[in-house]
Amino acid sequence: MNAAPRPAGHHSRSGRDGDDIVVVRQWTGREADALRCAVRMSVRGFADYLGISARAVSRWAQLGAETVPRPDMQAILDTALVNADLATRRRFAALTERPYHGRPYRFSNR
């Protein structure tokens, strides 16, 4: 069985529960915002969760693929993705596999 192709900059590896996870080679605002939506957090909640400013998270969402977080921020995002539960990792993979149109992902608390 062939796996679905991954977007450029991604590859998979086995996660802590044996399921493949997406590994991001270089984070952009697009992937950062997709992770925020996958963990189902607001901008402020995600910033608190990561221990960074809400302004940085908001900027990633606004600039999308046009911005690349600093290496220290990429490491924080890597850690958040690796530590995410299986359902969150699957949501992240689904979000990053669909076409991107330059707009932030939409998150709703409903």
Side-chain angles (χ1 to χ4, degrees):
M1 180 164 147
N2 291 337
R6 295 276 182 210
H10 294 79
H11 67 279
S12 12
R13 69 179 173 107
S14 185
R16 65 178 177 209
D17 46 17
D19 192 48
D20 281 349
I21 60 171
V22 175
V23 176
V24 181
R25 292 182 185 157
Q26 181 171 341
W27 289 86
T28 69
R30 176 183 188 245
E31 289 85 13
D33 195 45
L35 182 57
R36 179 188 65 81
C37 289
V39 296
R40 297 181 172 165
M41 292 184 179
S42 66
V43 168
R44 187 176 306 276
F46 191 56
D48 290 345
Y49 174 72
L50 296 178
I52 64 174
S53 72
R55 182 176 178 194
V57 174
S58 179
R59 184 171 184 267
W60 295 338
Q62 290 174 353
L63 297 178
E66 299 299 315
T67 189
V68 175
R70 294 186 327 250
D72 58 328
M73 297 291 192
Q74 291 199 32
I76 290 168
L77 292 164
D78 285 337
T79 300
L81 179 58
V82 168
N83 290 333
D85 63 22
L86 178 59
T88 299
R89 293 194 315 262
R90 285 183 175 166
R91 284 190 298 272
F92 176 77
L95 286 167
T96 57
E97 286 173 355
R98 67 183 194 194
Y100 180 64
H101 302 288
R103 294 183 301 272
Y105 294 104
R106 296 295 173 221
F107 171 76
S108 172
N109 284 333
R110 296 180 202 184

